[in-house]
Amino acid sequence: MKVNGIEYRTVWMKDTSVFFIEQNLLPFQFSIQEAKTFSDSCHAIRTMMVRGAGAIGAIAGFAMAQAALEAPEDNYHQFLAKARIIIESTRPTARNLFHAVEKVYAAALISRNMAVMAAQQVADRDADDSHKIGEFGNELIRDGMNIETHCNAGWLAFVDYGTALSPVYLAHQLGKRIFVYADETRPRSQGARLTAWELKQAGVPHTIIPDNAGAWLMSLGKIDMMIVGADRIAANGDTANKIGTLEKAIAAKEYGIPFYVAAPTSTFDVKCADGKHIPIEERSEEEVLYQDGITADGRLERILVCSPGSSALNPAFDVTPAKYITGIITEKGIIRPDRETINTLLS
Ligand code: MRU
């Protein structure tokens, strides 16, 4: 996607380095950072400089390729195996991370070059899939629709295009008049910071809403459809996505509003029989207690926004049972969220 007229991907590899857009600085600063080693890339995932299921998958694949390039000749296989464990321990929920590492690790067992090629393929495939999701999802969007989304499943969360926002971008480019309600998405505010920034860059009319406003707006008939992304989809269609998704899905069902999940097949995990088996990341209480922002004179600052001395609980994802999901928009088409259909899709 274009930023200030220049085409970017969120993450890419050149020679032995990985380059990425530093998402913790957005929307205040646009900065490209370099991860010179596989542990630098792991650090970028852990600290959420690179975040979002597809982007995490891509950088995890690149990190595995970097590990193959760094591995000493006489200790190649042990080094790779250790690196794989380290990369896989960076973040637990996004299936795309494990999907990418599996693919690149297998290629690395053949050669270092194959590992780099496999990592590039994972990233290219993520961008392609997102593009196709846009085409399928656009079919659901009618002129004049108001669409709510949660968190950031735009191009920043993938290598390019995004999932939930990919249909929105295409519909907008095709001249459909649409309006997006972007949930703020506390505690890290990916909606208020990243989705809003992306939509502004693309000229899509939108507004940010507090996380607790969704059900009310639905009850007033202001939302025609909700589209969200996914971090992991179980074999029965239960879907893990950013915390807060579940309550939106329940409200959407109550008010008869179509609730779509947009995700590539690399997000599906048939080894998870249902949502109960999806590992849910718990993050630091600091993310709830403090907020990052910018002062009037342009300095980035972190301030306490909660009662001093209170603790906070910070589950990063929740699981929406398949019964609340109208359909899943994948790169192969829009499917019903049930075991049989998912089986056919992945076979
Ligand atoms: O914790 P994050 O920002 O990496 O969260 C992942 C997500 O981007 C969201 O859950 C998103 O809605 C899923 S689609 C990438």
Side-chain angles (χ1 to χ4, degrees):
M1 291 296 238
K2 284 193 172 144
V3 180
N4 302 325
I6 300 170
E7 197 72 48
Y8 285 95
R9 284 184 163 193
T10 50
V11 53
W12 64 96
M13 187 169 178
K14 189 164 183 293
D15 304 325
T16 58
S17 279
V18 174
F19 296 87
F20 59 86
I21 297 172
E22 213 293 37
Q23 299 197 32
N24 287 325
L25 297 177
L26 285 172
F28 311 115
Q29 287 173 16
F30 181 78
S31 159
I32 306 298
Q33 305 278 329
E34 178 177 2
K36 292 190 171 147
T37 63
F38 101 85
S39 25
D40 290 346
S41 294
C42 289
H43 177 71
I45 302 172
R46 242 181 256 114
T47 55
M48 293 180 66
M49 289 192 268
V50 175
R51 39 74 39 211
I56 292 171
I59 190 168
F62 287 140
M64 198 67 245
Q66 283 178 306
L69 296 174
E70 289 165 36
E73 198 64 56
D74 58 352
N75 195 24
Y76 186 74
H77 288 96
Q78 288 92 326
F79 189 96
L80 277 189
K82 263 199 188 150
R84 179 179 182 166
I85 293 168
I86 295 169
I87 300 165
E88 288 186 337
S89 67
T90 51
R91 292 197 68 193
T93 304
R95 167 64 194 150
N96 305 58
L97 183 152
F98 301 89
H99 171 88
V101 170
E102 262 160 45
K103 286 215 168 326
V104 182
Y105 182 80
L109 294 179
I110 305 169
S111 74
R112 299 178 205 266
N113 275 349
M114 292 291 278
V116 175
M117 274 166 58
Q120 295 289 5
Q121 274 167 10
V122 167
D124 289 345
R125 173 82 196 269
D126 183 81
D128 269 13
D129 288 351
S130 294
H131 189 249
K132 288 182 188 136
I133 285 171
E135 286 171 351
F136 285 114
N138 168 56
E139 301 291 318
L140 300 167
I141 300 178
R142 293 186 308 277
D143 189 42
M145 267 190 160
N146 294 304
I147 301 163
E148 183 178 346
T149 189
H150 190 68
C151 192
N152 172 259
W155 69 271
L156 287 167
F158 290 83
V159 172
D160 207 348
Y161 301 102
T163 52
L165 293 188
S166 185
V168 166
Y169 291 133
L170 184 55
H172 175 72
Q173 280 159 21
L174 294 174
K176 295 182 192 173
R177 285 160 303 164
I178 50 173
F179 189 85
V180 178
Y181 289 92
D183 293 351
E184 178 190 23
T185 322
R186 276 279 280 149
R188 293 186 68 100
S189 304
Q190 289 96 328
R193 294 173 64 128
L194 305 177
T195 296
W197 181 79
E198 278 195 26
L199 292 170
K200 182 130 195 302
Q201 294 281 323
V204 178
H206 67 281
T207 195
I208 299 162
I209 56 170
D211 285 324
N212 35 16
W216 174 239
L217 294 175
M218 288 180 193
S219 79
L220 296 177
K222 291 199 182 287
I223 310 290
D224 299 306
M225 169 162 64
M226 181 138 194
I227 315 181
V228 299
D231 294 274
R232 196 182 290 228
I233 301 175
N236 69 342
D238 291 353
T239 295
N241 193 50
K242 184 53 58 189
I243 192 79
T245 304
L246 171 59
E247 62 194 44
K248 303 294 179 294
I250 295 170
K253 181 119 188 156
E254 172 67 21
Y255 293 107
I257 294 158
F259 182 94
Y260 284 95
V261 168
T265 46
S266 49
T267 303
F268 287 72
D269 184 1
V270 284
K271 289 200 191 110
C272 282
D274 56 41
K276 285 191 210 82
H277 296 89
I278 299 178
I280 298 294
E281 176 179 21
E282 192 157 320
R283 294 188 61 87
S284 151
E285 64 173 6
E286 304 277 299
E287 294 182 350
V288 179
L289 300 175
Y290 294 85
Q291 282 280 277
D292 293 334
I294 193 163
T295 59
D297 57 351
R299 276 175 299 110
L300 283 173
E301 240 176 46
R302 172 162 296 189
I303 56 163
L304 179 68
V305 292
C306 295
S307 169
S310 289
S311 64
L313 193 64
N314 188 13
F317 301 96
D318 57 26
V319 176
T320 300
K323 66 178 178 185
Y324 294 114
I325 299 168
T326 311
I328 306 179
I329 310 165
T330 76
E331 78 277 16
K332 296 183 179 174
I334 303 173
I335 61 150
R336 276 196 321 272
D338 63 56
R339 208 177 284 281
E340 210 188 316
T341 313
I342 290 173
N343 231 339
T344 314
L345 174 84
L346 300 178
S347 57

